Amino acid sequence: MARPGSQSGTGELGVRLRELRESRGMTQLRLGRALGVAVSSISSWESGAKTPPLTRLADYATYFAAGAVTDGVPPENALTGEQREERLRLKQELDRMRAADEEPGEAEARQDFWHFPDGGPVRIVTGGLTEKHWSPLGTPSEPNFLSLARCADLDAAVELFGHVRAANPRSQAEIRLEHLGDDDLRAHLVFLGSGATNPWVEWLTADWPVRQVPDDDVVDGSVFEIDGERRLRPSFRGDQLVEDVGLLARIPNPNNLRRTLTFCSGVFTRGGFGAVRCLTDPELRDRNLAHLTDEVADLNRFGLLMRVPVMRHVTGTPDLQNPANRLYEWRPNT
């Protein structure tokens, strides 16, 4: 984001991006199509109203180093040796300009959805398993008691907890099983699981167009219903789950508007895990964050339903730059 009072509105990076485009006689529309982004993104980057993600600057470098003669960004292995050298030079130039346009610490915050710049506490809240799924180790009187043995979304909780701790080394991050105190409600909150297992979710999303509801065709899961009509269900091949539906949404925390409230859920646990992984997976998180940064005006106020593939019992990470993986998007008002 441009710094108040700075010259980033006509700053170095924006000017350079415009020079690159105009050097090839291209309109913003044509360049947007080539890079696979909206023309509004090209305009905001050139004006300095928004800062392009690092992955988009890499696309600029690749595209213009290749001569800007293709309909899209060519793969790096298709470049000649001379073009690869030009790409590296151009990418370093653009990265340097981007860093110069940002406030100290802003670059780090932009590169991780799960980084909370204010250093506030983070509470990852999961629902509990139903009684028929309880493990004996979840009984407090058991000598080998495990406090998370009744956690309904343990894979997602462990994945996210490690990532949040690494991205926020000065923040107090904890996993909680449903129970929250008054101070916890004012932290950065992440709710894992649907309203069926995590009652906090249903309470805070009552006015959204998307709800999770029981469905006669889905056992042990709650499907997503849009505007009380359309339902999104998981896919099976025989009795094997091959595709779940995941929810990723964030709004300001209504108990402390300076902090956030994030939801990661699925029809089954696979969907919630995929929603978490789309912004923690080291292979895809930058691409997915680039998509969100390009398409969402406010990353603290958006909602997204996505396909989550399950291949041979392994939960895959959705690629949000693939339109087929984005099932429904909305912008919460609260």
Side-chain angles (χ1 to χ4, degrees):
M1 184 177 295
R3 295 194 298 271
S6 75
Q7 296 181 352
S8 56
T10 57
E12 190 178 20
L13 178 59
V15 169
R16 183 65 175 123
L17 295 179
R18 184 167 61 250
E19 286 176 349
L20 286 170
R21 175 177 61 81
E22 292 178 346
S23 70
R24 296 291 175 174
M26 302 179 71
T27 64
Q28 291 182 341
L29 178 61
R30 180 184 164 195
L31 179 58
R33 288 174 175 171
L35 298 183
V37 302
V39 65
S40 59
S41 294
I42 301 296
S43 177
S44 64
W45 295 340
E46 291 185 0
S47 69
K50 293 181 69 175
T51 303
L54 290 171
T55 52
R56 290 305 183 192
L57 292 185
D59 288 344
Y60 265 92
T62 303
Y63 182 67
F64 284 100
V69 295
T70 65
D71 293 332
V73 179
E76 290 182 41
N77 59 12
L79 302 181
T80 66
E82 184 177 348
Q83 288 172 338
R84 283 195 293 270
E85 290 180 5
E86 173 61 16
R87 178 192 179 278
L88 177 60
R89 184 200 64 76
L90 184 55
K91 183 176 184 301
Q92 290 175 339
E93 177 190 4
L94 296 178
D95 288 350
R96 176 186 59 77
M97 292 178 177
R98 184 184 189 278
D101 277 352
E102 292 186 317
E103 295 281 7
E106 187 177 358
E108 179 185 3
R110 286 182 179 278
Q111 293 177 53
D112 199 324
F113 179 80
W114 294 110
H115 172 72
F116 303 107
D118 71 341
V122 184
R123 299 291 180 262
I124 300 169
V125 187
T126 78
L129 293 169
T130 58
E131 187 172 354
K132 70 177 182 178
H133 293 123
W134 282 2
S135 163
L137 298 181
T139 304
S141 60
E142 165 63 40
N144 290 315
F145 170 68
L146 298 174
S147 63
L148 295 180
R150 293 195 298 189
C151 174
D153 290 86
L154 187 57
D155 281 355
V158 171
E159 168 78 15
L160 185 57
F161 178 73
H163 189 90
V164 166
R165 285 291 300 271
N168 305 273
R170 298 184 180 181
S171 296
Q172 182 192 41
E174 297 180 12
I175 298 175
R176 294 290 181 85
L177 186 60
E178 299 181 2
H179 305 295
L180 295 175
D182 182 57
D183 289 345
D184 298 321
L185 291 174
R186 293 190 292 272
H188 290 286
L189 292 172
V190 184
F191 288 146
L192 303 179
S194 69
T197 60
N198 193 338
W200 294 99
V201 176
E202 189 68 18
W203 173 61
L204 287 164
T205 61
D207 62 345
W208 285 11
V210 171
R211 302 288 296 279
Q212 281 195 262
V213 298
D215 189 285
D216 292 339
D217 296 330
V218 178
V219 179
D220 291 333
S222 298
V223 303
F224 291 97
E225 185 177 77
I226 302 172
D227 292 326
E229 300 177 356
R230 177 186 173 198
R231 290 192 173 187
L232 298 179
R233 297 178 175 89
S235 298
F236 288 84
R237 183 174 295 124
D239 62 352
Q240 297 296 313
L241 178 69
V242 295
E243 184 180 281
D244 202 353
V245 180
L247 163 73
L248 174 65
R250 177 173 283 179
I251 59 175
N253 184 341
N255 303 297
N256 183 350
L257 294 177
R258 295 175 299 173
R259 291 179 179 157
T260 58
L261 180 57
T262 310
F263 301 86
C264 297
S265 180
V267 176
F268 301 110
T269 57
R270 307 283 193 163
F273 187 42
V276 167
R277 285 281 291 171
C278 80
L279 290 166
T280 63
D281 186 331
E283 296 297 324
L284 280 174
R285 67 190 182 205
D286 288 344
R287 283 175 55 82
N288 288 336
L289 184 58
H291 165 77
L292 291 176
T293 303
D294 287 351
E295 302 299 327
V296 177
D298 184 355
L299 286 179
N300 288 334
R301 201 181 296 271
F302 79 98
L304 170 67
L305 291 174
M306 66 189 76
R307 299 181 190 274
V308 178
V310 181
M311 300 162 286
R312 291 183 175 270
H313 306 293
V314 176
T315 303
T317 302
D319 182 349
L320 299 184
Q321 294 201 13
N322 180 352
N325 289 334
R326 305 192 305 271
L327 299 174
Y328 182 74
E329 300 173 71
W330 79 100
R331 303 294 175 258
N333 294 320
T334 58

